[in-house]
Amino acid sequence: MRNRILALAALGVALGAPIAAQPQTGITVGRAPVVVDGGPTIAVEQRPAFRDYVVEQRVPAFRIPDRVVVGATLPESGVTYYDVPQRFGATTYRYTVVNGETVLVEPRSRRIVEVLD
């Protein structure tokens, strides 16, 4: 009886160990993977105050020929990016005004992550 228990325990460890030791690959079978961006955006309830802040700062608007949409990349030169004040939440993004719309931008890639309406 004792040998059976030890054999079952050893079998359980042998079967469980390779699964537990495998690194996570980030691939999920059966569902689309979740994409997480660099940082949180401005909370919905903070957006009206943030829009007022941008107007008060008189941030110059830049014109680009393309549409202003999430995922678009802004030009390498000619656009100035500004830090989002702490009172609107901790974020790694910067903001600017493009074609009359305030946008949050990932600073390294210059990719628009949110258009604030």
Side-chain angles (χ1 to χ4, degrees):
M1 181 72 170
R2 191 176 87 175
N3 287 342
R4 279 189 175 174
I5 292 173
L6 289 175
L8 288 174
L11 182 62
V13 169
L15 290 176
I19 294 171
Q22 291 178 354
Q24 295 182 4
T25 62
I27 297 173
T28 304
V29 177
R31 299 188 296 173
V34 176
V35 177
V36 179
D37 280 321
T41 61
I42 298 170
V44 173
E45 61 272 4
Q46 291 269 357
R47 290 179 187 179
F50 181 70
R51 281 191 293 275
D52 291 343
Y53 169 81
V54 173
V55 170
E56 289 170 6
Q57 296 301 305
R58 296 188 175 135
V59 172
F62 296 93
R63 302 276 319 150
I64 60 171
D66 301 324
R67 289 183 0 163
V68 178
V69 295
V70 171
T73 301
L74 295 177
E76 202 167 324
S77 62
V79 179
T80 304
Y81 304 99
Y82 303 92
D83 291 330
V84 175
Q86 274 302 116
R87 70 176 184 250
F88 298 111
T91 182
T92 58
Y93 300 127
R94 302 275 165 34
Y95 78 92
T96 192
V97 179
V98 179
N99 295 356
E101 301 194 57
T102 302
V103 296
L104 291 180
V105 179
E106 200 287 314
R108 285 186 219 119
S109 66
R110 301 176 326 279
R111 185 176 60 88
I112 297 173
V113 294
E114 189 163 358
V115 179
L116 301 167
D117 39 15

